[in-house]
Amino acid sequence: MTPMATGHSAPRTVDDYLRQLRAALEGATPALIQDALADAEDYLREEVSLGSYKPESEILARVVRSFGTPQEVAAEYRAVETRFERRHVRAERTRGKGFFSIAFDPQAYGGLLYALLALPIGIAYFTWVVTGVSLSAGLAVLIIGVPFTLLFIASCRLIALLEGRIVETLLGKRMPRRLPTEERRITGVWPRIRAMLTDARTWSTMFYMVLQLPLGVAYFVIAVVGLTLSVGLVTGPFIEAIVGRNVIFLSPAIDRFADTPLGMGVMMVVGFLLFFVLLHLMKALSGLHARYAEATLVRI
Amino acid sequence: MNESSHRISAAHALLDSGGFEAETAALAVLANLKAEGRGSARDLLRRIARAAEIAGEPVLPFKHATLYAVLHELEFDGAIQPASDGDRAGRTFVITPRGKAFLALAQERWRSAHLVIRAAAAAAESQRP
């Protein structure tokens, strides 16, 4: 399909191509837009650099035929996204919607694992940002302050990408696999620093990393309390029988009831149900956290 | 569901949901990664184009952007995984055991599809007066 046939003017420069691609991807998920733009930019700039003796518009006209017009590329990436969603819906349908079908939902277990990892990761992020900001501010008056700040901000970008991979793997949310490419084109130290400091994503990433500490504590507590309580209630009667010692549950009155056969049965059922409630809670929390991560870590 | 049947259903989901171009690109990627080892999107395009040209197909049956797009899909599905090169422009991929299972299934499907089409064409030829 030629650009003329679609009513779009043929892009004459890489920047023009990327602008058209961004426009064609309007409404897609931020992660998809970031990846599509990064892929296209890498490809096009390499092609342009390989044929540097020719005008950019001439190279681009040739490259667009093999790579695809911005509209074709956008359609291809959207098709991938649609297939992701279709597969997700199909998997949800296969699992069913009952209370106990959560047991077969990988996202619930992913959310549980994420909640358990959130505390150590949250501590690491918080420490990194606080140390980095403090040292950047402290060293600002020295020559090494500038490269240090640049390195610190770059490290936050990489951590955001890594966190995106964790979120995608454990929480099932499509996150970028590529870093944004805009800043690679900026030459000079000061323009690059200015671009980094005026980029809202720099600050939203740091905000995310700092907030991961309290959130991580909350997720960890919910996961650990839920797990220990449900496992404790289910296995408590067996452990008492095996160990031969009475384990006091909550209060002496409840403990007396728990020592009866009926009480043991009730405890095990409650513990069993609690585990499923925990899985539902983890899935809901993971969905919310994934959306928050996408809004904070991905810029379009 | 055991691991083998899970792989089969996941492979069918991947293969059934893609368009012809996307499926061709996905299988070309998997086949090339299996045959020639790790490679970036660029390497894959170059190697697949070269192999296709040797086989008498100088024009790839998909846009280059399709290959870039399906790499994300294959990565998400666990059929390929990035080699430890970080996020540089030429980040490289390797095929996973899951990707090999996808490829084996797809090759079988395409082989049988090819046989059916050839047989149908041969039957039509033999019925001509």
mmCIF file of all heavy atoms in Angstrom, chain A residues 209-239:
data_model
loop_
_atom_site.group_PDB
_atom_site.id
_atom_site.type_symbol
_atom_site.label_atom_id
_atom_site.label_comp_id
_atom_site.label_asym_id
_atom_site.label_seq_id
_atom_site.Cartn_x
_atom_site.Cartn_y
_atom_site.Cartn_z
ATOM 1 N N MET A 209 9.855 4.504 42.648
ATOM 2 C CA MET A 209 10.851 3.751 43.407
ATOM 3 C C MET A 209 10.763 4.050 44.903
ATOM 4 O O MET A 209 10.908 3.153 45.729
ATOM 5 C CB MET A 209 12.254 4.064 42.865
ATOM 6 C CG MET A 209 12.495 3.464 41.478
ATOM 7 S SD MET A 209 14.004 4.051 40.700
ATOM 8 C CE MET A 209 15.247 3.195 41.650
ATOM 9 N N VAL A 210 10.504 5.321 45.230
ATOM 10 C CA VAL A 210 10.380 5.683 46.653
ATOM 11 C C VAL A 210 9.112 5.058 47.233
ATOM 12 O O VAL A 210 9.113 4.481 48.327
ATOM 13 C CB VAL A 210 10.365 7.221 46.820
ATOM 14 C CG1 VAL A 210 9.977 7.619 48.236
ATOM 15 C CG2 VAL A 210 11.739 7.789 46.488
ATOM 16 N N LEU A 211 8.024 5.138 46.480
ATOM 17 C CA LEU A 211 6.746 4.626 46.989
ATOM 18 C C LEU A 211 6.731 3.106 47.069
ATOM 19 O O LEU A 211 5.868 2.525 47.745
ATOM 20 C CB LEU A 211 5.611 5.113 46.083
ATOM 21 C CG LEU A 211 4.228 5.155 46.726
ATOM 22 C CD1 LEU A 211 4.185 6.145 47.876
ATOM 23 C CD2 LEU A 211 3.164 5.514 45.701
ATOM 24 N N GLN A 212 7.692 2.459 46.403
ATOM 25 C CA GLN A 212 7.724 0.998 46.461
ATOM 26 C C GLN A 212 8.030 0.505 47.876
ATOM 27 O O GLN A 212 7.674 -0.622 48.209
ATOM 28 C CB GLN A 212 8.779 0.434 45.505
ATOM 29 C CG GLN A 212 8.264 0.123 44.127
ATOM 30 C CD GLN A 212 7.102 -0.847 44.101
ATOM 31 O OE1 GLN A 212 5.945 -0.426 44.153
ATOM 32 N NE2 GLN A 212 7.376 -2.124 44.017
ATOM 33 N N LEU A 213 8.671 1.342 48.695
ATOM 34 C CA LEU A 213 8.979 0.885 50.051
ATOM 35 C C LEU A 213 7.694 0.711 50.879
ATOM 36 O O LEU A 213 7.414 -0.398 51.340
ATOM 37 C CB LEU A 213 9.969 1.818 50.747
ATOM 38 C CG LEU A 213 10.340 1.397 52.169
ATOM 39 C CD1 LEU A 213 10.983 0.020 52.196
ATOM 40 C CD2 LEU A 213 11.284 2.396 52.823
ATOM 41 N N PRO A 214 6.881 1.777 51.054
ATOM 42 C CA PRO A 214 5.643 1.552 51.812
ATOM 43 C C PRO A 214 4.699 0.551 51.141
ATOM 44 O O PRO A 214 4.086 -0.273 51.832
ATOM 45 C CB PRO A 214 4.996 2.937 51.887
ATOM 46 C CG PRO A 214 5.681 3.773 50.880
ATOM 47 C CD PRO A 214 7.045 3.196 50.698
ATOM 48 N N LEU A 215 4.626 0.602 49.824
ATOM 49 C CA LEU A 215 3.755 -0.359 49.133
ATOM 50 C C LEU A 215 4.281 -1.779 49.324
ATOM 51 O O LEU A 215 3.509 -2.715 49.562
ATOM 52 C CB LEU A 215 3.689 -0.048 47.632
ATOM 53 C CG LEU A 215 2.787 1.112 47.209
ATOM 54 C CD1 LEU A 215 2.867 1.316 45.701
ATOM 55 C CD2 LEU A 215 1.344 0.860 47.614
ATOM 56 N N GLY A 216 5.609 -1.911 49.222
ATOM 57 C CA GLY A 216 6.228 -3.227 49.390
ATOM 58 C C GLY A 216 5.966 -3.790 50.776
ATOM 59 O O GLY A 216 5.670 -4.980 50.930
ATOM 60 N N VAL A 217 6.045 -2.926 51.780
ATOM 61 C CA VAL A 217 5.765 -3.362 53.153
ATOM 62 C C VAL A 217 4.317 -3.861 53.230
ATOM 63 O O VAL A 217 4.030 -4.938 53.775
ATOM 64 C CB VAL A 217 6.003 -2.207 54.158
ATOM 65 C CG1 VAL A 217 5.504 -2.583 55.545
ATOM 66 C CG2 VAL A 217 7.481 -1.843 54.203
ATOM 67 N N ALA A 218 3.395 -3.070 52.672
ATOM 68 C CA ALA A 218 1.967 -3.426 52.728
ATOM 69 C C ALA A 218 1.710 -4.745 51.997
ATOM 70 O O ALA A 218 1.053 -5.648 52.539
ATOM 71 C CB ALA A 218 1.133 -2.307 52.113
ATOM 72 N N TYR A 219 2.254 -4.870 50.782
ATOM 73 C CA TYR A 219 2.038 -6.110 50.007
ATOM 74 C C TYR A 219 2.618 -7.316 50.752
ATOM 75 O O TYR A 219 2.001 -8.372 50.824
ATOM 76 C CB TYR A 219 2.707 -6.019 48.629
ATOM 77 C CG TYR A 219 2.131 -4.989 47.687
ATOM 78 C CD1 TYR A 219 2.867 -4.527 46.603
ATOM 79 C CD2 TYR A 219 0.855 -4.475 47.870
ATOM 80 C CE1 TYR A 219 2.347 -3.591 45.723
ATOM 81 C CE2 TYR A 219 0.332 -3.525 46.992
ATOM 82 C CZ TYR A 219 1.090 -3.081 45.934
ATOM 83 O OH TYR A 219 0.583 -2.157 45.069
ATOM 84 N N PHE A 220 3.821 -7.107 51.280
ATOM 85 C CA PHE A 220 4.504 -8.212 51.966
ATOM 86 C C PHE A 220 3.707 -8.668 53.184
ATOM 87 O O PHE A 220 3.512 -9.857 53.419
ATOM 88 C CB PHE A 220 5.911 -7.751 52.379
ATOM 89 C CG PHE A 220 6.761 -8.837 52.975
ATOM 90 C CD1 PHE A 220 7.445 -9.726 52.155
ATOM 91 C CD2 PHE A 220 6.885 -8.962 54.352
ATOM 92 C CE1 PHE A 220 8.228 -10.726 52.697
ATOM 93 C CE2 PHE A 220 7.674 -9.961 54.903
ATOM 94 C CZ PHE A 220 8.349 -10.847 54.071
ATOM 95 N N VAL A 221 3.223 -7.689 53.946
ATOM 96 C CA VAL A 221 2.459 -8.026 55.164
ATOM 97 C C VAL A 221 1.183 -8.783 54.783
ATOM 98 O O VAL A 221 0.853 -9.813 55.389
ATOM 99 C CB VAL A 221 2.129 -6.742 55.967
ATOM 100 C CG1 VAL A 221 1.101 -7.016 57.054
ATOM 101 C CG2 VAL A 221 3.402 -6.162 56.572
ATOM 102 N N ILE A 222 0.479 -8.277 53.783
ATOM 103 C CA ILE A 222 -0.763 -8.951 53.367
ATOM 104 C C ILE A 222 -0.466 -10.386 52.931
ATOM 105 O O ILE A 222 -1.154 -11.332 53.336
ATOM 106 C CB ILE A 222 -1.444 -8.168 52.205
ATOM 107 C CG1 ILE A 222 -1.953 -6.817 52.696
ATOM 108 C CG2 ILE A 222 -2.596 -8.976 51.606
ATOM 109 C CD1 ILE A 222 -2.403 -5.873 51.588
ATOM 110 N N ALA A 223 0.577 -10.545 52.134
ATOM 111 C CA ALA A 223 0.898 -11.881 51.605
ATOM 112 C C ALA A 223 1.323 -12.825 52.729
ATOM 113 O O ALA A 223 0.850 -13.961 52.815
ATOM 114 C CB ALA A 223 2.002 -11.774 50.558
ATOM 115 N N VAL A 224 2.213 -12.327 53.602
ATOM 116 C CA VAL A 224 2.742 -13.206 54.656
ATOM 117 C C VAL A 224 1.655 -13.549 55.673
ATOM 118 O O VAL A 224 1.493 -14.716 56.051
ATOM 119 C CB VAL A 224 3.974 -12.556 55.344
ATOM 120 C CG1 VAL A 224 4.357 -13.304 56.599
ATOM 121 C CG2 VAL A 224 5.142 -12.541 54.368
ATOM 122 N N VAL A 225 0.880 -12.548 56.088
ATOM 123 C CA VAL A 225 -0.193 -12.821 57.065
ATOM 124 C C VAL A 225 -1.216 -13.776 56.446
ATOM 125 O O VAL A 225 -1.635 -14.749 57.075
ATOM 126 C CB VAL A 225 -0.858 -11.502 57.514
ATOM 127 C CG1 VAL A 225 -2.134 -11.772 58.306
ATOM 128 C CG2 VAL A 225 0.115 -10.685 58.358
ATOM 129 N N GLY A 226 -1.614 -13.502 55.221
ATOM 130 C CA GLY A 226 -2.594 -14.363 54.557
ATOM 131 C C GLY A 226 -2.096 -15.786 54.416
ATOM 132 O O GLY A 226 -2.823 -16.739 54.702
ATOM 133 N N LEU A 227 -0.842 -15.923 53.990
ATOM 134 C CA LEU A 227 -0.280 -17.266 53.791
ATOM 135 C C LEU A 227 -0.129 -18.021 55.105
ATOM 136 O O LEU A 227 -0.554 -19.171 55.226
ATOM 137 C CB LEU A 227 1.101 -17.159 53.126
ATOM 138 C CG LEU A 227 1.161 -17.208 51.606
ATOM 139 C CD1 LEU A 227 2.596 -17.062 51.136
ATOM 140 C CD2 LEU A 227 0.575 -18.496 51.060
ATOM 141 N N THR A 228 0.458 -17.351 56.098
ATOM 142 C CA THR A 228 0.703 -18.059 57.364
ATOM 143 C C THR A 228 -0.617 -18.417 58.039
ATOM 144 O O THR A 228 -0.760 -19.495 58.615
ATOM 145 C CB THR A 228 1.557 -17.215 58.328
ATOM 146 O OG1 THR A 228 1.005 -15.904 58.384
ATOM 147 C CG2 THR A 228 2.989 -17.129 57.890
ATOM 148 N N LEU A 229 -1.587 -17.500 57.960
ATOM 149 C CA LEU A 229 -2.873 -17.770 58.600
ATOM 150 C C LEU A 229 -3.572 -18.953 57.924
ATOM 151 O O LEU A 229 -4.051 -19.872 58.606
ATOM 152 C CB LEU A 229 -3.751 -16.510 58.505
ATOM 153 C CG LEU A 229 -4.838 -16.363 59.574
ATOM 154 C CD1 LEU A 229 -4.241 -16.420 60.969
ATOM 155 C CD2 LEU A 229 -5.594 -15.054 59.371
ATOM 156 N N SER A 230 -3.618 -18.937 56.608
ATOM 157 C CA SER A 230 -4.325 -20.029 55.918
ATOM 158 C C SER A 230 -3.581 -21.354 56.088
ATOM 159 O O SER A 230 -4.202 -22.379 56.401
ATOM 160 C CB SER A 230 -4.542 -19.690 54.441
ATOM 161 O OG SER A 230 -3.324 -19.427 53.830
ATOM 162 N N VAL A 231 -2.276 -21.326 55.930
ATOM 163 C CA VAL A 231 -1.505 -22.568 56.091
ATOM 164 C C VAL A 231 -1.569 -23.043 57.539
ATOM 165 O O VAL A 231 -1.731 -24.232 57.818
ATOM 166 C CB VAL A 231 -0.030 -22.360 55.634
ATOM 167 C CG1 VAL A 231 0.830 -23.564 55.974
ATOM 168 C CG2 VAL A 231 0.016 -22.095 54.139
ATOM 169 N N GLY A 232 -1.499 -22.084 58.476
ATOM 170 C CA GLY A 232 -1.557 -22.429 59.899
ATOM 171 C C GLY A 232 -2.884 -23.067 60.265
ATOM 172 O O GLY A 232 -2.933 -24.072 60.994
ATOM 173 N N LEU A 233 -3.978 -22.516 59.769
ATOM 174 C CA LEU A 233 -5.296 -23.057 60.091
ATOM 175 C C LEU A 233 -5.501 -24.443 59.498
ATOM 176 O O LEU A 233 -6.081 -25.321 60.134
ATOM 177 C CB LEU A 233 -6.398 -22.112 59.576
ATOM 178 C CG LEU A 233 -6.598 -20.818 60.377
ATOM 179 C CD1 LEU A 233 -7.535 -19.865 59.655
ATOM 180 C CD2 LEU A 233 -7.117 -21.120 61.776
ATOM 181 N N VAL A 234 -5.001 -24.625 58.281
ATOM 182 C CA VAL A 234 -5.186 -25.940 57.635
ATOM 183 C C VAL A 234 -4.304 -26.995 58.292
ATOM 184 O O VAL A 234 -4.745 -28.120 58.535
ATOM 185 C CB VAL A 234 -4.886 -25.846 56.114
ATOM 186 C CG1 VAL A 234 -4.831 -27.227 55.487
ATOM 187 C CG2 VAL A 234 -5.933 -25.001 55.417
ATOM 188 N N THR A 235 -3.064 -26.639 58.591
ATOM 189 C CA THR A 235 -2.124 -27.653 59.089
ATOM 190 C C THR A 235 -2.072 -27.729 60.625
ATOM 191 O O THR A 235 -1.533 -28.694 61.158
ATOM 192 C CB THR A 235 -0.694 -27.354 58.579
ATOM 193 O OG1 THR A 235 -0.320 -26.044 59.028
ATOM 194 C CG2 THR A 235 -0.612 -27.419 57.068
ATOM 195 N N GLY A 236 -2.669 -26.725 61.312
ATOM 196 C CA GLY A 236 -2.602 -26.676 62.779
ATOM 197 C C GLY A 236 -3.015 -27.977 63.451
ATOM 198 O O GLY A 236 -2.246 -28.534 64.271
ATOM 199 N N PRO A 237 -4.206 -28.510 63.108
ATOM 200 C CA PRO A 237 -4.635 -29.750 63.773
ATOM 201 C C PRO A 237 -3.666 -30.902 63.547
ATOM 202 O O PRO A 237 -3.397 -31.683 64.467
ATOM 203 C CB PRO A 237 -5.981 -30.043 63.103
ATOM 204 C CG PRO A 237 -6.458 -28.728 62.616
ATOM 205 C CD PRO A 237 -5.240 -27.967 62.245
ATOM 206 N N PHE A 238 -3.097 -30.998 62.360
ATOM 207 C CA PHE A 238 -2.144 -32.076 62.072
ATOM 208 C C PHE A 238 -0.874 -31.888 62.878
ATOM 209 O O PHE A 238 -0.314 -32.840 63.422
ATOM 210 C CB PHE A 238 -1.800 -32.096 60.573
ATOM 211 C CG PHE A 238 -2.967 -32.424 59.689
ATOM 212 C CD1 PHE A 238 -3.572 -31.445 58.919
ATOM 213 C CD2 PHE A 238 -3.483 -33.710 59.654
ATOM 214 C CE1 PHE A 238 -4.642 -31.740 58.114
ATOM 215 C CE2 PHE A 238 -4.572 -34.015 58.848
ATOM 216 C CZ PHE A 238 -5.162 -33.025 58.082
ATOM 217 N N ILE A 239 -0.425 -30.628 62.924
ATOM 218 C CA ILE A 239 0.821 -30.360 63.668
ATOM 219 C C ILE A 239 0.632 -30.696 65.150
ATOM 220 O O ILE A 239 1.505 -31.302 65.775
ATOM 221 C CB ILE A 239 1.257 -28.890 63.471
ATOM 222 C CG1 ILE A 239 1.708 -28.697 62.012
ATOM 223 C CG2 ILE A 239 2.385 -28.497 64.416
ATOM 224 C CD1 ILE A 239 1.976 -27.274 61.603
#
